[in-house]
Amino acid sequence: MFGRKARHEAEVSDVLGRALAHPAGSLSRIAALEEIGRLDARVAVEQSLALCRTGPPDAAGVGLQALGIVPTALVPRNLWPEIGQVTGVLCGPGQRDAEVLAAALPVHASAAVAQGQDPADLLRGMLQHEDGRVRAAAARSAAAAHDPVPMIGPLLALLDEDPLPSVATAAATGLAHTVCRDPSAADLLTERFAAHLDDPAEAVHAWNRAKALFRGAPDPGEGPGPALPDDLHDEVRERLASLRGLDWSDHDVRAPVIGMFIDAVNGSTRRHAPVPEWDEQGHRAAVRELLQRARRVPPGSDERDELFLRLVPDVSAPAWTDRHAVNIAVDEALALGVDALSVEALAILVTFGSPGRSRQIRAALADLRARRPDDPIVLAAMLRTYSGLAARGQLDPAADRVDELVLDLLEHENATVRATAASTGLPGLTAAGRIAERLIRLIDQDPDPAVRADAALGLTGMAGAGNATEALVRLLDHPDPVIRAHALTWAVEAGRPDALPRLLDELADPGVRWEFLFLVQNLDDHMDSLPRRLHKDFTDALAHLDETGWTNRATPDAVDPDEILADASATMQFLTPIQ
């Protein structure tokens, strides 16, 4: 008995120690802490509380995160009072560390509920906190209140008025979980929202009806929905597309799905609403000045791309004006006339800024194509722009005829153009079979190694078209490791039984290419567990690469080897080992 307890204590201590060794907010710390949920709950709670009581803010943050991960149902009942006491101190009026307060708040709310207490007053107060992290934490915890009705108004206020999009997203989540405590309300919202996933105007109207219901206002009644500006219509359609494949009838996921709908519609509406206090003219002047600076540097250069990237708002601190800022940049680029400068700018803006104006951009590209440009820089930028639009579902394959462009440019004399055409990943192409055959020919015959590799990358998205699948199977044994890595990515996604053993074989090479570690890093996109033996083998292989100095020997292209190895190792911690 004592041996088992000591082992459990050592396991928890090891996890918390590894989490503390990683930077706050890093994927590695999050991955390490995820293991807490699979360990002895009593020991995890006891050691986490010790960190909260005696550790500095960073240690307290780790302890609070760990307490939030331990499944509530597994927490021993006699520990809830202590959890409530410790987190109550951390949520007290003397707490000046907003990150600690935001982490403590949901745990304290859970402790209150477990002891039959109502955290509503604390949560409503925290919804007004000056720090957005605290407001977001309170919003996500709102459903813990004994009476959900008084929480609805403050959550709607955050959705309508909060200056931070991240807080509004949290409010959408909290509102959905709060109202779904009433099964009849959950049924009504599911019926109204799920019926309009293909109609942006009706989706906006359904959300307006829901807000009227929440506020006790008169029901606007059935549609028709409001006429939406083109950009808002297109963004709502884009954001709702990801909700169509979800199971709206599943009661277990109903609240999260409703929250996603609210965030999609309400967030899109707020992003496109006028912002009277925003200096639009000042921003427009700054964009024009930057575009003029870009014109003075060589086309196609990294320096020019770096300037264009300044047109995209900082994604680490999103604001409601971000869409306005990117749309203004698109407008100013189009106003210059469609040349190398403007198309290069559009490629960056569409790829990284997710602007509106998709109809104007498509029209400008169509006009440019009609002039039959042959500048390799322009052609490559056009392809990247089309690819960015396609990734957001904003192309019409029949009207835009991108397949014709791709087929033509796969034969272009310039290697950069061929490589870009090969790797654009444009979906829904009517000439998919013919494109697949040309990609295979490039892989086998093109004199440029970058073109061959990008053709393999493009082929991974075309399995089933022409002879693509047979070619991908053959490429698993290709002598070029980059081509093998692309083929192996397809094999993992397809669930081929030989895919993971092949990936392990690649990792056994001390000089393994970074693309294979990138594949390991993204395994959790395709699976949530691994057989225990494979899990151990992958973990050991990554540890061996670290021990033998892979990060010092490798020279990956534009990739930090330390970061990619750390992220790959973190992914293995996320994946559950199973028998």
Side-chain angles (χ1 to χ4, degrees):
M1 173 176 146
F2 294 107
R4 183 167 63 248
K5 180 180 180 182
R7 186 177 71 253
H8 291 171
E9 290 175 342
E11 289 172 344
V12 173
S13 179
D14 176 65
V15 169
L16 294 175
R18 283 191 282 114
L20 280 166
H22 296 299
S26 66
L27 177 63
S28 299
R29 173 174 286 189
I30 296 169
L33 285 172
E34 285 293 324
E35 293 186 50
I36 285 289
R38 301 194 288 269
L39 302 179
D40 186 293
R42 175 179 291 277
V43 174
V45 170
E46 291 172 346
Q47 292 197 19
S48 298
L49 285 173
L51 283 178
C52 294
R53 280 193 300 264
T54 62
D58 187 50
V62 167
L64 291 166
Q65 285 179 280
L67 287 172
I69 290 171
V70 176
T72 303
L74 298 182
V75 175
R77 294 179 62 182
N78 68 313
L79 289 180
W80 280 117
E82 187 177 359
I83 295 173
Q85 180 184 29
V86 171
T87 56
V89 171
L90 295 174
C91 289
Q95 181 58 258
R96 295 292 179 263
D97 191 312
E99 189 168 346
V100 170
L101 178 55
L105 191 58
V107 182
H108 187 63
S110 296
V113 171
Q115 298 174 85
Q117 301 165 2
D118 189 356
D121 289 343
L122 175 65
L123 291 172
R124 281 197 296 271
M126 293 299 179
L127 288 173
Q128 308 300 319
H129 196 276
E130 63 182 3
D131 193 287
R133 291 169 293 181
V134 179
R135 296 196 301 275
R140 285 190 291 267
S141 305
H146 284 187
D147 182 359
V149 175
M151 303 300 298
I152 292 176
L155 290 170
L156 287 172
L158 293 182
L159 283 166
D160 289 342
E161 303 166 11
D162 199 276
L164 298 179
S166 58
V167 177
T169 295
T173 299
L175 179 65
H177 282 85
T178 299
V179 299
C180 283
R181 287 176 55 185
D182 180 349
S184 62
D187 290 342
L188 177 63
L189 293 177
T190 298
E191 178 184 355
R192 288 185 179 177
F193 292 171
H196 301 303
L197 299 178
D198 294 316
D199 190 329
E202 288 299 329
V204 171
H205 186 61
W207 170 231
N208 290 334
R209 293 186 71 191
K211 286 196 290 184
L213 172 67
F214 298 150
R215 290 174 170 145
D219 185 351
E222 297 288 345
L228 304 180
D230 288 346
D231 285 347
L232 176 57
H233 180 280
D234 291 344
E235 180 174 345
V236 174
R237 182 185 63 188
E238 175 191 345
R239 295 201 61 189
L240 292 179
S242 62
L243 303 184
R244 293 177 195 144
L246 301 179
D247 186 358
W248 285 72
S249 64
D250 185 344
H251 289 261
D252 291 336
V253 299
R254 181 164 287 182
V257 170
I258 288 174
M260 292 166 66
F261 179 95
I262 294 172
D263 185 46
V265 176
N266 189 79
S268 298
T269 303
R270 286 201 64 184
R271 268 188 293 277
H272 287 274
V275 187
E277 71 277 11
W278 188 53
D279 183 10
E280 177 177 331
Q281 292 308 314
H283 185 79
R284 194 177 293 277
V287 169
R288 289 172 178 167
E289 192 275 333
L290 190 145
L291 290 173
Q292 290 306 315
R293 287 176 58 193
R295 192 176 289 283
R296 295 193 289 270
V297 302
S301 64
D302 290 343
E303 184 181 358
R304 181 177 271 195
D305 279 351
E306 288 171 3
L307 287 171
F308 290 146
L309 283 168
R310 297 184 192 177
L311 299 172
V312 180
D314 179 7
V315 294
S316 66
W320 293 115
T321 54
D322 288 352
R323 191 57 44 88
H324 296 295
V326 180
N327 286 344
I328 284 174
V330 170
D331 291 342
E332 294 299 326
L334 291 174
L336 295 174
V338 186
D339 58 6
L341 178 76
S342 60
V343 181
E344 285 184 89
L346 290 175
I348 294 291
L349 291 166
V350 170
T351 301
F352 299 103
S354 299
R357 310 292 199 265
S358 61
R359 304 178 193 205
Q360 295 93 318
I361 294 170
R362 290 167 56 210
L365 293 178
D367 290 343
L368 178 61
R369 286 171 60 184
R371 301 204 299 266
R372 303 184 66 81
D374 200 41
D375 182 341
I377 294 173
V378 171
L379 293 173
M382 284 176 58
L383 286 165
R384 293 196 301 274
T385 306
Y386 273 128
S387 181
L389 292 170
R392 300 172 58 205
Q394 293 186 345
L395 283 187
D396 180 342
D400 293 309
R401 307 189 328 275
V402 182
D403 52 347
E404 298 178 12
L405 178 66
V406 172
L407 277 167
D408 180 40
L409 296 185
L410 285 173
E411 305 287 345
H412 198 274
E413 63 181 9
N414 182 273
T416 299
V417 173
R418 294 197 305 277
T420 307
S423 62
T424 49
L426 292 165
L429 297 172
T430 57
R434 293 163 59 200
I435 291 174
E437 294 307 313
R438 291 198 185 180
L439 290 175
I440 294 168
R441 191 163 70 241
L442 288 177
I443 296 168
D444 293 338
Q445 301 177 9
D446 199 278
D448 190 290
V451 174
R452 297 195 297 269
D454 282 338
L457 174 61
L459 195 64
T460 62
M462 307 194 72
N467 296 319
T469 300
E470 294 85 346
L472 286 166
V473 172
R474 172 170 59 86
L475 295 178
L476 290 169
D477 295 310
H478 198 278
D480 185 330
V482 179
I483 292 177
R484 285 202 311 277
H486 292 323
L488 195 50
T489 299
W490 160 79
V492 169
E493 293 176 357
R496 284 180 57 90
D498 62 338
L500 294 179
R502 284 178 176 272
L503 182 53
L504 267 175
D505 287 343
E506 296 287 355
L507 295 178
D509 178 3
V512 60
R513 287 278 308 193
W514 68 266
E515 287 88 351
F516 293 101
L517 276 86
F518 186 75
L519 177 51
V520 176
Q521 177 184 331
N522 290 281
L523 281 178
D524 56 343
D525 290 342
H526 316 295
M527 58 193 70
D528 55 16
S529 61
L530 276 176
R532 188 171 298 277
R533 170 49 60 183
L534 272 179
H535 191 282
K536 182 179 186 304
D537 289 345
F538 273 105
T539 302
D540 290 347
L542 295 174
H544 184 68
L545 288 175
D546 190 23
E547 292 165 0
T548 55
W550 178 82
T551 55
N552 297 324
R553 290 196 300 266
T555 55
D557 307 320
V559 174
D560 181 344
D562 290 294
E563 180 178 340
I564 196 169
L565 181 56
D567 288 347
S569 300
T571 296
M572 296 314 301
Q573 294 176 15
F574 272 125
L575 295 177
T576 303
I578 56 174
Q579 296 294 344

